[in-house]
Amino acid sequence: MAVPVTSDPARPLPVEFLSAEHAASCIEAHCLRDGPVGQVGLEIEAHCFDVDDALRRPGWDELSEVIASVPALPGGSRITVEPGGAVELSGPPATGPWAAITALQADRAVLRAVFERRGLRLVLLGADPVRPTQRVNPGLRYQAMEAFFAASGSAAAGAAMMTSTASVQVNLDAGPRDGWAQRVRLAHALGPTMIAITANSPMLGGQFTGWKSSRQRVWSQLDSARCGPILGADGKDPASDWARYALRAPVMLINPPEAVPVTNWVPFADWADGRAVLGGRRPTETDLEYHLTTLFPPVRPRRWLEIRYLDSVPDALWPAVVFMTTTLLDDPGAAAIATEATAPVATAWDRAARIGLTDRRLREAALVCVSAAAERAPAELTESMELLTRSVQEGRCPADDFADQVVGHGIASAMSQLVKGEL
């Protein structure tokens, strides 16, 4: 069903797909890994600000120099720089949420100290409140992404997504095969409730957007074929749902070997079926793998599950948020509670991002879910869980705290306090 592509004889020949059906079978076979739950991987993005000038965006050379001076991190996290200069820590998988949390906390402490000695602060917010969008990472992939978004009529939203947003990402095992459908449905159903709880981006480009999570608003402005939820009508077969989603999504970039934008709308299925030709050929498995990295649904299958819908939240809160998200999916009792509690708001993505816990049904779901997590939290997380629980009980989210500071003291004062660590 596939033919080899002419290549260097010293390397294995890449194989072209001859049909979308063949590509779909490849996706279905590899998108989820059968096994127990328990491993947790964490990624956290932080906006980098100059302590003395919150409007200045540190450049690529400056960031690279600082990162080069970071000693070996105790938790083994990898440091990367997002297109707009946000700095990401990606921790290795750990056994259980507490081990993953403590490792990332240790790494963040080291990284933060190095940056602060250079007059820079790594701030945990879902969106940059004040600086205009600007790419500083010179990577060819990001240049090509800019060109794709411009050609598709979403240049502003694409630029904001790449350079002005930040998140906490929780990576969890897919679990046993016979539980995939229920687990993926719950991961999606939790989304609106967790967005309402963690919304931490009321401003973008120096203005209030009217949304508690401007980060989620930005994602909603991009095409749903690339950024919307992946579930099909019944959600009974997440592997097939993901294959269908990926094949319908337009190809953003081809990589022969440099990232090249595709500036017309070409679903991957059309490329695989030969209805469209990109790069003078049909796609290979390598092309498919690359295509999957350009899809950004709120829950993404990568053999494990990437939970991608959480705003970046302050150091006092993210440990509880991570524990809560993990527990509601990995603990059978908590998962049963969350399944019932979130059912009425399972698709309220935009409402959650716009008004958060001021929505009665979202607040009710959040109260049940945070209580289930708090009952199962270790003693070491008591302070963070109590802070999160109190916030939910009051119907507030981190965005409300920042907005109160801006309204009360002005954006200049609020930003100054934030980047100096006084908020």
Side-chain angles (χ1 to χ4, degrees):
M1 293 296 295
V3 295
V5 181
T6 302
S7 180
D8 182 341
R11 296 183 178 182
L13 295 177
V15 175
E16 290 184 353
F17 294 116
L18 287 185
S19 69
E21 182 181 359
H22 185 207
S25 67
C26 183
I27 296 171
E28 292 174 16
H30 299 105
C31 68
L32 294 172
R33 183 169 51 213
D34 185 19
V37 301
Q39 293 288 100
V40 180
L42 300 179
E43 302 175 27
I44 190 165
E45 297 168 339
H47 300 285
C48 184
F49 286 94
D50 185 324
V51 172
D52 296 321
D53 182 2
L55 292 177
R56 185 179 79 85
R57 189 182 293 270
W60 176 252
D61 290 342
E62 181 179 3
L63 291 168
S64 299
E65 181 185 350
V66 177
I67 290 171
S69 71
V70 177
L73 296 176
S77 292
R78 183 168 57 97
I79 306 169
T80 54
V81 179
E82 295 298 300
V87 179
E88 179 180 70
L89 281 176
S90 302
T95 302
W98 178 238
I101 289 165
T102 54
L104 198 64
Q105 283 178 321
D107 290 351
R108 178 159 159 78
V110 172
L111 187 70
R112 190 171 60 234
V114 172
F115 271 74
E116 288 175 2
R117 285 196 292 270
R118 302 295 188 97
L120 303 173
R121 185 169 290 273
L122 299 175
V123 176
L124 300 176
L125 277 172
D128 187 327
V130 292
R131 295 178 298 195
T133 59
Q134 180 188 353
R135 180 173 56 84
V136 300
N137 188 323
L140 294 175
R141 173 181 168 95
Y142 301 127
Q143 293 180 36
M145 287 176 70
E146 281 183 341
F148 172 87
F149 286 127
S152 63
S154 53
M161 179 273 285
M162 290 198 299
T163 71
S164 297
T165 63
S167 71
V168 174
Q169 182 172 303
V170 182
N171 302 318
L172 302 175
D173 290 314
R177 183 182 299 273
D178 61 5
W180 284 352
Q182 182 179 2
R183 185 165 172 79
V184 173
R185 281 199 302 270
L186 178 55
H188 281 80
L190 276 171
T193 298
M194 294 306 301
I195 287 169
I197 289 171
T198 63
N200 190 31
S201 47
M203 297 185 67
L204 193 64
Q207 296 182 334
F208 283 106
T209 64
W211 292 55
K212 305 276 189 180
S213 176
S214 299
R215 173 184 176 273
Q216 192 67 23
R217 176 176 179 259
V218 165
W219 285 101
S220 72
Q221 292 173 330
L222 297 170
D223 65 85
S224 60
R226 168 163 271 103
C227 301
I230 68 171
L231 288 184
D234 56 23
K236 291 182 178 179
D237 187 353
S240 293
D241 286 342
W242 179 228
R244 187 181 306 110
Y245 181 104
L247 292 174
R248 289 176 177 174
V251 180
M252 174 184 275
L253 313 172
I254 55 175
N255 200 29
E258 298 176 353
V260 176
V262 178
T263 55
N264 53 327
W265 187 277
V266 179
F268 194 91
D270 287 2
W271 190 16
D273 276 335
R275 290 191 295 270
V277 177
L278 300 175
R281 56 179 175 77
R282 291 197 188 192
T284 66
E285 195 167 317
T286 299
D287 293 312
L288 175 59
E289 291 172 359
Y290 192 71
H291 172 64
L292 296 179
T293 71
T294 70
L295 307 181
F296 310 110
V299 179
R300 183 165 67 176
R302 293 285 302 277
R303 297 185 299 280
W304 58 91
L305 296 180
E306 292 180 347
I307 309 301
R308 303 172 53 85
Y309 44 63
L310 305 170
D311 272 16
S312 194
V313 294
D315 282 307
L317 276 181
W318 70 256
V321 167
V322 165
F323 181 83
M324 179 178 176
T325 304
T326 304
T327 298
L328 295 178
L329 282 161
D330 281 5
D331 181 283
I337 292 169
T339 298
E340 181 178 358
T342 59
V345 291
T347 59
W349 297 91
D350 282 355
R351 190 163 78 250
R354 191 170 60 251
I355 63 174
L357 296 179
T358 60
D359 179 272
R360 176 182 58 81
R361 295 196 301 169
L362 283 163
R363 185 176 177 184
E364 289 172 354
L367 284 167
V368 173
C369 289
V370 77
S371 295
E375 290 171 0
R376 293 162 170 80
E380 295 89 345
L381 272 175
T382 296
E383 186 175 350
S384 186
M385 281 303 311
E386 286 180 347
L387 184 61
L388 183 63
T389 300
R390 185 164 58 250
S391 178
V392 172
Q393 289 172 340
E394 294 173 353
R396 293 176 63 84
C397 60
D400 296 316
D401 297 332
F402 182 66
D404 286 350
Q405 290 293 325
V406 173
V407 171
H409 304 286
I411 184 63
S413 176
M415 285 303 301
S416 177
Q417 293 181 63
L418 183 67
V419 300
K420 291 178 180 176
E422 298 170 358
L423 282 186

